[in-house]
Amino acid sequence: SPIEQSFWLKELSEETGISEKTLIDESDKLNLSKTSSSHELLESGKSTLPPKKFSRREIVSQRLLSALFNSNQLELADENVAYLSPDYQTALNILKSGERKSSNPELDNLLDIIMLRSEEVAVNELEELKKNLSLEYFKEKRQAIAEKVKKAEAIKDETAIELALQELSQLNPLSK
């Protein structure tokens, strides 16, 4: 607060023998340089935004791949590779090849997350992660199909509605 700032500047002035006005001027210069630095960061394109929020499926994928990476059993992910998003499939293939980096910075961030979060998990927890990954996959698929149905209903496209409903009925019955 300004009152508190004034109090401490007065204290500092008495302690150091530097005039209060000089300290205030220097303080103002510091505040200006802070705001200009923040402005420069925004203009240069460097993000000061918080990190990306991950979906539940992404979090489960990260935990699964991290656990398999830690135990050096990445081949166990092959049975669930269809439930991984394309980025996670690519990350898995990179890790299986022994590489730890890619030419894509976003993929590098994902690889870093997987490698840094690697943890030991019990076999039953590993099976639970696999099960949750498939459940999240089917949940996202159902949501996407439901959106198709809503859009088709909005424009009264009976053919699109029928196709979307057929697609919905073909989904894994365990996911319902």
Side-chain angles (χ1 to χ4, degrees):
S1 78
I3 295 171
E4 198 173 338
Q5 183 180 15
S6 176
F7 169 78
W8 287 111
L9 284 173
K10 185 175 181 176
E11 286 289 313
L12 185 60
S13 173
E14 290 173 3
E15 211 40 56
T16 61
I18 300 172
S19 75
E20 198 172 330
K21 182 179 179 351
T22 305
L23 290 173
I24 291 171
D25 291 342
E26 288 299 316
S27 172
D28 289 342
K29 285 180 189 175
L30 286 175
N31 287 337
L32 285 176
S33 69
K34 275 185 187 176
T35 55
S36 67
S37 296
S38 299
H39 185 66
E40 289 168 9
L41 270 176
L42 288 174
E43 283 183 357
S44 70
K46 293 182 180 170
S47 176
T48 57
L49 299 174
K52 176 188 171 193
K53 298 262 185 193
F54 294 107
S55 70
R56 174 141 168 73
R57 181 175 163 211
E58 290 173 313
I59 292 169
V60 172
S61 298
Q62 289 170 11
R63 289 208 53 221
L64 177 63
L65 294 180
S66 292
L68 294 174
F69 175 77
N70 185 57
S71 63
N72 202 23
Q73 297 179 319
L74 289 167
E75 67 280 350
L76 294 179
D78 289 343
E79 63 195 53
N80 296 83
V81 76
Y83 305 132
L84 295 171
S85 69
D87 285 344
Y88 286 84
Q89 290 176 6
T90 304
L92 174 63
N93 290 331
I94 290 170
L95 291 172
K96 283 170 66 176
S97 74
E99 297 294 318
R100 301 296 180 251
K101 292 284 179 198
S102 75
S103 58
N104 180 343
E106 288 182 24
L107 195 53
D108 279 345
N109 286 339
L110 179 57
L111 289 167
D112 290 343
I113 289 169
I114 292 169
M115 290 184 293
L116 291 173
R117 289 186 179 167
S118 63
E119 59 181 310
E120 268 188 60
V121 295
V123 175
N124 61 340
E125 189 177 351
L126 195 60
E127 292 305 315
E128 191 69 24
L129 285 169
K130 290 178 182 180
K131 177 183 165 195
N132 285 332
L133 179 61
S134 67
L135 290 174
E136 290 301 319
Y137 170 81
F138 287 115
K139 184 170 89 176
E140 285 182 13
K141 283 293 234 183
R142 281 193 312 276
Q143 289 172 343
I145 294 170
E147 284 299 315
K148 284 183 188 177
V149 170
K150 285 180 187 175
K151 287 179 183 175
E153 285 176 341
I155 60 172
K156 298 183 189 320
D157 185 349
E158 293 297 323
T159 310
I161 293 172
E162 187 62 35
L163 287 172
L165 290 175
Q166 281 179 348
E167 188 178 349
L168 185 61
S169 69
Q170 292 173 355
L171 278 179
N172 185 342
L174 296 176
S175 68
K176 294 179 182 174

